Amino acid sequence: MAGILFIISAPSGSGKSTLVSEVRKQLSGIEFSVSWTTRPPRGSEQDGREYNFTMREEFERMVAEGQFLEHAEVFGNYYGTARRSLELARAAGHDLLLDIDVQGAAQVRAKMPEAVSIFVLPPNPKVLRTRLRNRSRAEGVVNEAELYRRLSEASREIENYRGYGYILINDILDRAVAQLEAIVQAERYYRNGEVIAYRPGRVLEVAAACRQVNSQERLKPVLEAFGIIGSSNQQLLNFEEDSDDS
Ligand code: ADP
Ligand code: 5GP
């Protein structure tokens, strides 16, 4: 049975890592590719668990040696997926999940068009700001400049949603987790004939509704809130905090 490559991208703070960790608790046979990065560890992150943390010179040496399937510079740091992650997952017949930015996703799709790609969006800019801020507080470091940098990149990243096969709007966490699980199960069913044990009809229906081609109605208010469609609303793009966000 061939392993499936899943790519998941989202603006920083959308809840991608949260979704992935919830789904990994529920589904077996899916590995998470631990990326390499030159950014310093954040909060409780551990080397080799969330990321392989490294120095710029070492990263550049790895690039020169062709060790990366893809790599990109994001928020001033390098990030990359080692080819070895893919080789190991393939040898084990496991699915592999890459949590990578839109630049990296485009590189992987060009090399491996069979990859399943999923774009996660927050419901609106205010929620995104609140989540980024809460995460920084929980990690004990609120870096306003870094927060602003990540927020201001969000709309640009969201503009890339069209390149992705599936769209997840992470509003209510449980629902988004169920949708991500359904996508994984549906792809396993269609590609490998894997049986869906519980309510298969419902699972396939949920996954189908998340396909990008079926997501236009759900997407519209989110794209408007980020000023991506509805040009008259562009100036309303607003990352101001909600009153309950202090
Ligand atoms: P990302 O990996 O996309 O940068 P995280 O998974 O770190 O984002 O989530 C950012 C913050 O938002 C975290 O504090 C997380 O607990 C919170 N969060 C994630 N999803 C939701 C949700 N659906 N509702 C409320 N908070 C959420
Ligand atoms: P963070 O610093 O918040 O962990 O991640 C910042 C961004 O880098 C996120 O969009 C994340 O998906 C992306 N990223 C993480 N690992 C990789 C990787 O290996 N390659 C690429 N291209 N982006 C990555």
Side-chain angles (χ1 to χ4, degrees), residues 34-78:
V34 179
S35 296
W36 290 77
T37 185
T38 58
R39 108 157 144 62
R42 204 167 59 200
S44 60
E45 287 178 338
Q46 283 177 21
D47 191 27
R49 191 178 65 181
E50 285 81 6
Y51 283 104
N52 295 304
F53 296 98
T54 188
M55 306 303 287
R56 246 181 134 79
E57 298 69 32
E58 171 68 3
F59 194 100
E60 284 166 355
R61 185 187 60 76
M62 291 175 73
V63 172
E65 288 176 1
Q67 290 196 37
F68 290 115
L69 173 66
E70 64 73 34
H71 63 93
E73 189 160 352
V74 190
F75 309 126
N77 289 299
Y78 288 138

mmCIF file of all heavy atoms in Angstrom, residues 34-78:
data_model
loop_
_atom_site.group_PDB
_atom_site.id
_atom_site.type_symbol
_atom_site.label_atom_id
_atom_site.label_comp_id
_atom_site.label_asym_id
_atom_site.label_seq_id
_atom_site.Cartn_x
_atom_site.Cartn_y
_atom_site.Cartn_z
ATOM 1 N N VAL A 34 9.303 16.207 10.612
ATOM 2 C CA VAL A 34 9.926 17.240 11.458
ATOM 3 C C VAL A 34 10.866 18.065 10.573
ATOM 4 O O VAL A 34 11.864 17.555 10.069
ATOM 5 C CB VAL A 34 10.686 16.604 12.645
ATOM 6 C CG1 VAL A 34 11.338 17.691 13.503
ATOM 7 C CG2 VAL A 34 9.740 15.754 13.487
ATOM 8 N N SER A 35 10.478 19.313 10.364
ATOM 9 C CA SER A 35 11.253 20.188 9.478
ATOM 10 C C SER A 35 12.542 20.658 10.137
ATOM 11 O O SER A 35 12.685 20.595 11.357
ATOM 12 C CB SER A 35 10.427 21.432 9.133
ATOM 13 O OG SER A 35 9.292 21.096 8.400
ATOM 14 N N TRP A 36 13.419 21.195 9.290
ATOM 15 C CA TRP A 36 14.619 21.874 9.778
ATOM 16 C C TRP A 36 14.352 23.371 9.755
ATOM 17 O O TRP A 36 13.684 23.856 8.844
ATOM 18 C CB TRP A 36 15.803 21.544 8.870
ATOM 19 C CG TRP A 36 16.237 20.118 8.999
ATOM 20 C CD1 TRP A 36 15.617 19.038 8.449
ATOM 21 C CD2 TRP A 36 17.347 19.615 9.744
ATOM 22 N NE1 TRP A 36 16.274 17.884 8.798
ATOM 23 C CE2 TRP A 36 17.348 18.210 9.591
ATOM 24 C CE3 TRP A 36 18.341 20.214 10.523
ATOM 25 C CZ2 TRP A 36 18.296 17.402 10.194
ATOM 26 C CZ3 TRP A 36 19.303 19.404 11.118
ATOM 27 C CH2 TRP A 36 19.267 18.009 10.956
ATOM 28 N N THR A 37 14.835 24.070 10.737
ATOM 29 C CA THR A 37 14.668 25.532 10.720
ATOM 30 C C THR A 37 15.839 26.236 11.393
ATOM 31 O O THR A 37 16.486 25.669 12.284
ATOM 32 C CB THR A 37 13.356 25.971 11.408
ATOM 33 O OG1 THR A 37 13.209 27.390 11.259
ATOM 34 C CG2 THR A 37 13.310 25.646 12.889
ATOM 35 N N THR A 38 16.052 27.480 10.959
ATOM 36 C CA THR A 38 17.078 28.306 11.611
ATOM 37 C C THR A 38 16.443 29.231 12.654
ATOM 38 O O THR A 38 17.143 30.027 13.273
ATOM 39 C CB THR A 38 17.830 29.172 10.568
ATOM 40 O OG1 THR A 38 16.881 29.999 9.886
ATOM 41 C CG2 THR A 38 18.560 28.305 9.564
ATOM 42 N N ARG A 39 15.090 29.131 12.824
ATOM 43 C CA ARG A 39 14.508 29.995 13.860
ATOM 44 C C ARG A 39 14.786 29.381 15.235
ATOM 45 O O ARG A 39 14.870 28.161 15.365
ATOM 46 C CB ARG A 39 13.016 30.220 13.581
ATOM 47 C CG ARG A 39 12.065 29.533 14.480
ATOM 48 C CD ARG A 39 10.727 30.158 14.542
ATOM 49 N NE ARG A 39 9.647 29.211 14.664
ATOM 50 C CZ ARG A 39 9.466 28.369 15.683
ATOM 51 N NH1 ARG A 39 10.352 28.288 16.679
ATOM 52 N NH2 ARG A 39 8.424 27.572 15.703
ATOM 53 N N PRO A 40 14.933 30.220 16.258
ATOM 54 C CA PRO A 40 15.188 29.669 17.594
ATOM 55 C C PRO A 40 13.951 28.966 18.152
ATOM 56 O O PRO A 40 12.826 29.298 17.757
ATOM 57 C CB PRO A 40 15.526 30.901 18.441
ATOM 58 C CG PRO A 40 15.178 32.085 17.639
ATOM 59 C CD PRO A 40 14.936 31.688 16.221
ATOM 60 N N PRO A 41 14.111 28.012 19.065
ATOM 61 C CA PRO A 41 12.957 27.330 19.665
ATOM 62 C C PRO A 41 12.036 28.321 20.371
ATOM 63 O O PRO A 41 12.491 29.326 20.908
ATOM 64 C CB PRO A 41 13.585 26.370 20.671
ATOM 65 C CG PRO A 41 15.014 26.266 20.291
ATOM 66 C CD PRO A 41 15.391 27.514 19.582
ATOM 67 N N ARG A 42 10.728 28.011 20.348
ATOM 68 C CA ARG A 42 9.708 28.873 20.951
ATOM 69 C C ARG A 42 9.051 28.096 22.076
ATOM 70 O O ARG A 42 8.797 26.902 21.923
ATOM 71 C CB ARG A 42 8.683 29.157 19.851
ATOM 72 C CG ARG A 42 7.873 30.392 19.982
ATOM 73 C CD ARG A 42 7.133 30.705 18.692
ATOM 74 N NE ARG A 42 6.242 29.655 18.287
ATOM 75 C CZ ARG A 42 5.773 29.494 17.049
ATOM 76 N NH1 ARG A 42 6.121 30.313 16.090
ATOM 77 N NH2 ARG A 42 4.967 28.518 16.758
ATOM 78 N N GLY A 43 8.766 28.779 23.192
ATOM 79 C CA GLY A 43 8.032 28.135 24.283
ATOM 80 C C GLY A 43 8.666 26.824 24.707
ATOM 81 O O GLY A 43 9.862 26.759 25.011
ATOM 82 N N SER A 44 7.852 25.761 24.693
ATOM 83 C CA SER A 44 8.332 24.466 25.175
ATOM 84 C C SER A 44 8.871 23.580 24.048
ATOM 85 O O SER A 44 9.045 22.378 24.236
ATOM 86 C CB SER A 44 7.179 23.739 25.875
ATOM 87 O OG SER A 44 6.125 23.567 24.939
ATOM 88 N N GLU A 45 9.102 24.162 22.882
ATOM 89 C CA GLU A 45 9.568 23.357 21.739
ATOM 90 C C GLU A 45 10.893 22.669 22.057
ATOM 91 O O GLU A 45 11.767 23.252 22.689
ATOM 92 C CB GLU A 45 9.748 24.249 20.509
ATOM 93 C CG GLU A 45 8.447 24.692 19.899
ATOM 94 C CD GLU A 45 8.626 25.614 18.698
ATOM 95 O OE1 GLU A 45 9.708 26.242 18.571
ATOM 96 O OE2 GLU A 45 7.690 25.722 17.901
ATOM 97 N N GLN A 46 10.998 21.427 21.558
ATOM 98 C CA GLN A 46 12.228 20.662 21.787
ATOM 99 C C GLN A 46 12.866 20.287 20.465
ATOM 100 O O GLN A 46 12.159 19.904 19.518
ATOM 101 C CB GLN A 46 11.900 19.372 22.537
ATOM 102 C CG GLN A 46 11.648 19.580 24.007
ATOM 103 C CD GLN A 46 11.250 18.276 24.679
ATOM 104 O OE1 GLN A 46 11.516 17.192 24.178
ATOM 105 N NE2 GLN A 46 10.592 18.383 25.809
ATOM 106 N N ASP A 47 14.208 20.350 20.465
ATOM 107 C CA ASP A 47 14.940 19.987 19.257
ATOM 108 C C ASP A 47 14.619 18.541 18.887
ATOM 109 O O ASP A 47 14.664 17.653 19.741
ATOM 110 C CB ASP A 47 16.447 20.158 19.514
ATOM 111 C CG ASP A 47 17.243 20.046 18.232
ATOM 112 O OD1 ASP A 47 16.687 20.350 17.159
ATOM 113 O OD2 ASP A 47 18.425 19.655 18.307
ATOM 114 N N GLY A 48 14.261 18.315 17.634
ATOM 115 C CA GLY A 48 13.963 16.956 17.168
ATOM 116 C C GLY A 48 12.498 16.588 17.321
ATOM 117 O O GLY A 48 12.060 15.577 16.800
ATOM 118 N N ARG A 49 11.716 17.383 18.059
ATOM 119 C CA ARG A 49 10.291 17.082 18.228
ATOM 120 C C ARG A 49 9.459 18.001 17.329
ATOM 121 O O ARG A 49 8.928 17.555 16.324
ATOM 122 C CB ARG A 49 9.882 17.234 19.704
ATOM 123 C CG ARG A 49 8.489 16.673 19.981
ATOM 124 C CD ARG A 49 8.113 16.782 21.436
ATOM 125 N NE ARG A 49 7.989 18.179 21.861
ATOM 126 C CZ ARG A 49 7.687 18.539 23.103
ATOM 127 N NH1 ARG A 49 7.514 17.632 24.042
ATOM 128 N NH2 ARG A 49 7.583 19.817 23.414
ATOM 129 N N GLU A 50 9.390 19.286 17.632
ATOM 130 C CA GLU A 50 8.654 20.205 16.747
ATOM 131 C C GLU A 50 9.473 20.509 15.491
ATOM 132 O O GLU A 50 8.937 20.580 14.386
ATOM 133 C CB GLU A 50 8.320 21.516 17.461
ATOM 134 C CG GLU A 50 7.194 21.395 18.467
ATOM 135 C CD GLU A 50 7.647 20.839 19.800
ATOM 136 O OE1 GLU A 50 8.879 20.645 19.974
ATOM 137 O OE2 GLU A 50 6.793 20.592 20.671
ATOM 138 N N TYR A 51 10.754 20.755 15.682
ATOM 139 C CA TYR A 51 11.670 21.077 14.579
ATOM 140 C C TYR A 51 13.042 20.503 14.889
ATOM 141 O O TYR A 51 13.378 20.260 16.052
ATOM 142 C CB TYR A 51 11.854 22.603 14.458
ATOM 143 C CG TYR A 51 10.716 23.349 13.802
ATOM 144 C CD1 TYR A 51 9.817 24.099 14.567
ATOM 145 C CD2 TYR A 51 10.543 23.331 12.418
ATOM 146 C CE1 TYR A 51 8.770 24.801 13.976
ATOM 147 C CE2 TYR A 51 9.504 24.035 11.816
ATOM 148 C CZ TYR A 51 8.625 24.762 12.599
ATOM 149 O OH TYR A 51 7.588 25.452 12.005
ATOM 150 N N ASN A 52 13.855 20.363 13.843
ATOM 151 C CA ASN A 52 15.289 20.206 14.024
ATOM 152 C C ASN A 52 15.860 21.615 13.911
ATOM 153 O O ASN A 52 15.822 22.220 12.837
ATOM 154 C CB ASN A 52 15.872 19.316 12.926
ATOM 155 C CG ASN A 52 15.336 17.908 13.016
ATOM 156 O OD1 ASN A 52 15.453 17.253 14.040
ATOM 157 N ND2 ASN A 52 14.724 17.428 11.940
ATOM 158 N N PHE A 53 16.312 22.153 15.041
ATOM 159 C CA PHE A 53 16.820 23.527 15.054
ATOM 160 C C PHE A 53 18.290 23.517 14.641
ATOM 161 O O PHE A 53 19.073 22.675 15.112
ATOM 162 C CB PHE A 53 16.654 24.138 16.449
ATOM 163 C CG PHE A 53 15.203 24.275 16.846
ATOM 164 C CD1 PHE A 53 14.586 23.326 17.654
ATOM 165 C CD2 PHE A 53 14.438 25.341 16.380
ATOM 166 C CE1 PHE A 53 13.247 23.439 18.008
ATOM 167 C CE2 PHE A 53 13.095 25.465 16.722
ATOM 168 C CZ PHE A 53 12.493 24.512 17.536
ATOM 169 N N THR A 54 18.639 24.450 13.765
ATOM 170 C CA THR A 54 20.011 24.456 13.278
ATOM 171 C C THR A 54 20.469 25.889 12.983
ATOM 172 O O THR A 54 19.681 26.829 13.070
ATOM 173 C CB THR A 54 20.133 23.555 12.024
ATOM 174 O OG1 THR A 54 21.493 23.425 11.667
ATOM 175 C CG2 THR A 54 19.363 24.117 10.836
ATOM 176 N N MET A 55 21.739 26.028 12.638
ATOM 177 C CA MET A 55 22.293 27.354 12.335
ATOM 178 C C MET A 55 22.216 27.589 10.830
ATOM 179 O O MET A 55 22.144 26.649 10.036
ATOM 180 C CB MET A 55 23.762 27.445 12.780
ATOM 181 C CG MET A 55 24.012 27.076 14.222
ATOM 182 S SD MET A 55 23.035 28.080 15.342
ATOM 183 C CE MET A 55 23.918 29.633 15.214
ATOM 184 N N ARG A 56 22.290 28.866 10.454
ATOM 185 C CA ARG A 56 22.168 29.230 9.031
ATOM 186 C C ARG A 56 23.218 28.535 8.163
ATOM 187 O O ARG A 56 22.909 28.024 7.080
ATOM 188 C CB ARG A 56 22.331 30.753 8.901
ATOM 189 C CG ARG A 56 21.066 31.423 8.441
ATOM 190 C CD ARG A 56 21.236 32.917 8.290
ATOM 191 N NE ARG A 56 20.661 33.383 7.023
ATOM 192 C CZ ARG A 56 19.368 33.581 6.815
ATOM 193 N NH1 ARG A 56 18.503 33.349 7.767
ATOM 194 N NH2 ARG A 56 18.929 34.006 5.641
ATOM 195 N N GLU A 57 24.446 28.496 8.661
ATOM 196 C CA GLU A 57 25.538 27.910 7.851
ATOM 197 C C GLU A 57 25.267 26.431 7.593
ATOM 198 O O GLU A 57 25.480 25.925 6.497
ATOM 199 C CB GLU A 57 26.900 28.041 8.571
ATOM 200 C CG GLU A 57 27.366 29.457 8.830
ATOM 201 C CD GLU A 57 26.532 30.189 9.878
ATOM 202 O OE1 GLU A 57 26.022 29.530 10.821
ATOM 203 O OE2 GLU A 57 26.362 31.414 9.735
ATOM 204 N N GLU A 58 24.807 25.741 8.636
ATOM 205 C CA GLU A 58 24.517 24.309 8.519
ATOM 206 C C GLU A 58 23.360 24.095 7.535
ATOM 207 O O GLU A 58 23.397 23.191 6.691
ATOM 208 C CB GLU A 58 24.151 23.769 9.916
ATOM 209 C CG GLU A 58 23.619 22.354 9.982
ATOM 210 C CD GLU A 58 24.663 21.295 9.627
ATOM 211 O OE1 GLU A 58 25.822 21.672 9.387
ATOM 212 O OE2 GLU A 58 24.289 20.104 9.575
ATOM 213 N N PHE A 59 22.341 24.960 7.646
ATOM 214 C CA PHE A 59 21.189 24.836 6.743
ATOM 215 C C PHE A 59 21.653 25.036 5.299
ATOM 216 O O PHE A 59 21.290 24.271 4.396
ATOM 217 C CB PHE A 59 20.122 25.876 7.123
ATOM 218 C CG PHE A 59 18.777 25.621 6.495
ATOM 219 C CD1 PHE A 59 17.762 25.013 7.216
ATOM 220 C CD2 PHE A 59 18.530 25.978 5.175
ATOM 221 C CE1 PHE A 59 16.514 24.770 6.633
ATOM 222 C CE2 PHE A 59 17.289 25.749 4.585
ATOM 223 C CZ PHE A 59 16.285 25.145 5.318
ATOM 224 N N GLU A 60 22.480 26.055 5.080
ATOM 225 C CA GLU A 60 22.948 26.344 3.720
ATOM 226 C C GLU A 60 23.789 25.190 3.175
ATOM 227 O O GLU A 60 23.732 24.875 1.985
ATOM 228 C CB GLU A 60 23.721 27.669 3.696
ATOM 229 C CG GLU A 60 22.745 28.854 3.758
ATOM 230 C CD GLU A 60 23.405 30.188 4.087
ATOM 231 O OE1 GLU A 60 24.617 30.203 4.374
ATOM 232 O OE2 GLU A 60 22.675 31.202 4.090
ATOM 233 N N ARG A 61 24.545 24.557 4.057
ATOM 234 C CA ARG A 61 25.329 23.389 3.621
ATOM 235 C C ARG A 61 24.378 22.268 3.174
ATOM 236 O O ARG A 61 24.587 21.627 2.157
ATOM 237 C CB ARG A 61 26.230 22.902 4.767
ATOM 238 C CG ARG A 61 27.176 21.775 4.372
ATOM 239 C CD ARG A 61 27.922 21.203 5.575
ATOM 240 N NE ARG A 61 27.059 20.633 6.608
ATOM 241 C CZ ARG A 61 26.444 19.446 6.514
ATOM 242 N NH1 ARG A 61 26.597 18.708 5.431
ATOM 243 N NH2 ARG A 61 25.676 19.010 7.489
ATOM 244 N N MET A 62 23.311 22.053 3.936
ATOM 245 C CA MET A 62 22.338 21.009 3.589
ATOM 246 C C MET A 62 21.655 21.317 2.245
ATOM 247 O O MET A 62 21.420 20.420 1.440
ATOM 248 C CB MET A 62 21.285 20.856 4.691
ATOM 249 C CG MET A 62 21.851 20.277 5.970
ATOM 250 S SD MET A 62 20.615 20.236 7.300
ATOM 251 C CE MET A 62 19.545 18.906 6.758
ATOM 252 N N VAL A 63 21.373 22.610 2.023
ATOM 253 C CA VAL A 63 20.775 23.002 0.731
ATOM 254 C C VAL A 63 21.752 22.646 -0.392
ATOM 255 O O VAL A 63 21.378 22.015 -1.387
ATOM 256 C CB VAL A 63 20.458 24.520 0.692
ATOM 257 C CG1 VAL A 63 20.032 24.947 -0.713
ATOM 258 C CG2 VAL A 63 19.380 24.872 1.713
ATOM 259 N N ALA A 64 23.018 23.037 -0.215
ATOM 260 C CA ALA A 64 24.031 22.793 -1.252
ATOM 261 C C ALA A 64 24.185 21.303 -1.524
ATOM 262 O O ALA A 64 24.454 20.893 -2.659
ATOM 263 C CB ALA A 64 25.359 23.414 -0.826
ATOM 264 N N GLU A 65 24.007 20.500 -0.505
ATOM 265 C CA GLU A 65 24.144 19.041 -0.674
ATOM 266 C C GLU A 65 22.864 18.391 -1.217
ATOM 267 O O GLU A 65 22.807 17.175 -1.368
ATOM 268 C CB GLU A 65 24.486 18.395 0.672
ATOM 269 C CG GLU A 65 25.911 18.702 1.112
ATOM 270 C CD GLU A 65 26.234 18.129 2.504
ATOM 271 O OE1 GLU A 65 25.354 17.471 3.107
ATOM 272 O OE2 GLU A 65 27.361 18.363 2.948
ATOM 273 N N GLY A 66 21.835 19.199 -1.445
ATOM 274 C CA GLY A 66 20.585 18.663 -2.019
ATOM 275 C C GLY A 66 19.802 17.802 -1.037
ATOM 276 O O GLY A 66 19.056 16.911 -1.436
ATOM 277 N N GLN A 67 19.946 18.109 0.252
ATOM 278 C CA GLN A 67 19.262 17.267 1.247
ATOM 279 C C GLN A 67 17.773 17.577 1.408
ATOM 280 O O GLN A 67 17.057 16.826 2.042
ATOM 281 C CB GLN A 67 19.947 17.427 2.610
ATOM 282 C CG GLN A 67 21.325 16.797 2.671
ATOM 283 C CD GLN A 67 21.771 16.642 4.114
ATOM 284 O OE1 GLN A 67 20.980 16.340 4.990
ATOM 285 N NE2 GLN A 67 23.050 16.864 4.350
ATOM 286 N N PHE A 68 17.325 18.729 0.828
ATOM 287 C CA PHE A 68 15.929 19.118 1.053
ATOM 288 C C PHE A 68 15.026 18.803 -0.145
ATOM 289 O O PHE A 68 15.403 19.021 -1.297
ATOM 290 C CB PHE A 68 15.835 20.617 1.362
ATOM 291 C CG PHE A 68 16.398 20.980 2.708
ATOM 292 C CD1 PHE A 68 17.520 21.790 2.819
ATOM 293 C CD2 PHE A 68 15.807 20.502 3.872
ATOM 294 C CE1 PHE A 68 18.044 22.120 4.055
ATOM 295 C CE2 PHE A 68 16.319 20.824 5.119
ATOM 296 C CZ PHE A 68 17.441 21.632 5.215
ATOM 297 N N LEU A 69 13.829 18.312 0.174
ATOM 298 C CA LEU A 69 12.787 18.147 -0.832
ATOM 299 C C LEU A 69 12.292 19.534 -1.241
ATOM 300 O O LEU A 69 12.010 19.807 -2.400
ATOM 301 C CB LEU A 69 11.636 17.335 -0.211
ATOM 302 C CG LEU A 69 10.361 17.176 -1.020
ATOM 303 C CD1 LEU A 69 10.625 16.341 -2.266
ATOM 304 C CD2 LEU A 69 9.262 16.513 -0.183
ATOM 305 N N GLU A 70 12.182 20.406 -0.258
ATOM 306 C CA GLU A 70 11.800 21.810 -0.485
ATOM 307 C C GLU A 70 12.375 22.619 0.651
ATOM 308 O O GLU A 70 12.620 22.100 1.740
ATOM 309 C CB GLU A 70 10.271 21.963 -0.551
ATOM 310 C CG GLU A 70 9.511 21.626 0.729
ATOM 311 C CD GLU A 70 9.644 22.627 1.851
ATOM 312 O OE1 GLU A 70 9.747 23.827 1.574
ATOM 313 O OE2 GLU A 70 9.671 22.211 3.019
ATOM 314 N N HIS A 71 12.584 23.898 0.384
ATOM 315 C CA HIS A 71 12.965 24.791 1.479
ATOM 316 C C HIS A 71 12.564 26.207 1.104
ATOM 317 O O HIS A 71 12.361 26.515 -0.081
ATOM 318 C CB HIS A 71 14.468 24.713 1.777
ATOM 319 C CG HIS A 71 15.329 25.151 0.641
ATOM 320 N ND1 HIS A 71 15.778 26.434 0.505
ATOM 321 C CD2 HIS A 71 15.779 24.485 -0.429
ATOM 322 C CE1 HIS A 71 16.488 26.537 -0.595
ATOM 323 N NE2 HIS A 71 16.500 25.368 -1.196
ATOM 324 N N ALA A 72 12.412 27.059 2.107
ATOM 325 C CA ALA A 72 11.981 28.432 1.842
ATOM 326 C C ALA A 72 12.401 29.322 3.001
ATOM 327 O O ALA A 72 12.690 28.829 4.097
ATOM 328 C CB ALA A 72 10.455 28.476 1.700
ATOM 329 N N GLU A 73 12.431 30.618 2.725
ATOM 330 C CA GLU A 73 12.676 31.578 3.803
ATOM 331 C C GLU A 73 11.324 32.154 4.218
ATOM 332 O O GLU A 73 10.562 32.642 3.377
ATOM 333 C CB GLU A 73 13.614 32.693 3.332
ATOM 334 C CG GLU A 73 14.056 33.572 4.466
ATOM 335 C CD GLU A 73 15.323 34.361 4.160
ATOM 336 O OE1 GLU A 73 15.965 34.120 3.121
ATOM 337 O OE2 GLU A 73 15.638 35.237 4.995
ATOM 338 N N VAL A 74 10.997 32.023 5.494
ATOM 339 C CA VAL A 74 9.707 32.493 6.015
ATOM 340 C C VAL A 74 9.987 33.343 7.258
ATOM 341 O O VAL A 74 10.685 32.887 8.169
ATOM 342 C CB VAL A 74 8.795 31.293 6.420
ATOM 343 C CG1 VAL A 74 7.385 31.763 6.737
ATOM 344 C CG2 VAL A 74 8.768 30.191 5.360
ATOM 345 N N PHE A 75 9.443 34.543 7.285
ATOM 346 C CA PHE A 75 9.633 35.467 8.415
ATOM 347 C C PHE A 75 11.129 35.590 8.787
ATOM 348 O O PHE A 75 11.493 35.588 9.959
ATOM 349 C CB PHE A 75 8.849 35.017 9.656
ATOM 350 C CG PHE A 75 7.397 34.725 9.395
ATOM 351 C CD1 PHE A 75 6.854 33.501 9.755
ATOM 352 C CD2 PHE A 75 6.581 35.668 8.783
ATOM 353 C CE1 PHE A 75 5.522 33.217 9.511
ATOM 354 C CE2 PHE A 75 5.245 35.395 8.528
ATOM 355 C CZ PHE A 75 4.717 34.173 8.897
ATOM 356 N N GLY A 76 11.983 35.638 7.759
ATOM 357 C CA GLY A 76 13.411 35.874 7.996
ATOM 358 C C GLY A 76 14.215 34.666 8.440
ATOM 359 O O GLY A 76 15.402 34.784 8.738
ATOM 360 N N ASN A 77 13.584 33.499 8.488
ATOM 361 C CA ASN A 77 14.326 32.270 8.834
ATOM 362 C C ASN A 77 14.132 31.224 7.751
ATOM 363 O O ASN A 77 13.134 31.241 7.037
ATOM 364 C CB ASN A 77 13.814 31.698 10.165
ATOM 365 C CG ASN A 77 14.227 32.559 11.339
ATOM 366 O OD1 ASN A 77 15.415 32.751 11.591
ATOM 367 N ND2 ASN A 77 13.259 33.110 12.036
ATOM 368 N N TYR A 78 15.097 30.312 7.676
ATOM 369 C CA TYR A 78 14.971 29.202 6.733
ATOM 370 C C TYR A 78 14.168 28.073 7.364
ATOM 371 O O TYR A 78 14.322 27.787 8.565
ATOM 372 C CB TYR A 78 16.335 28.616 6.385
ATOM 373 C CG TYR A 78 17.209 29.459 5.505
ATOM 374 C CD1 TYR A 78 18.575 29.579 5.780
ATOM 375 C CD2 TYR A 78 16.709 30.088 4.375
ATOM 376 C CE1 TYR A 78 19.412 30.325 4.968
ATOM 377 C CE2 TYR A 78 17.542 30.838 3.551
ATOM 378 C CZ TYR A 78 18.883 30.947 3.857
ATOM 379 O OH TYR A 78 19.708 31.683 3.055
#
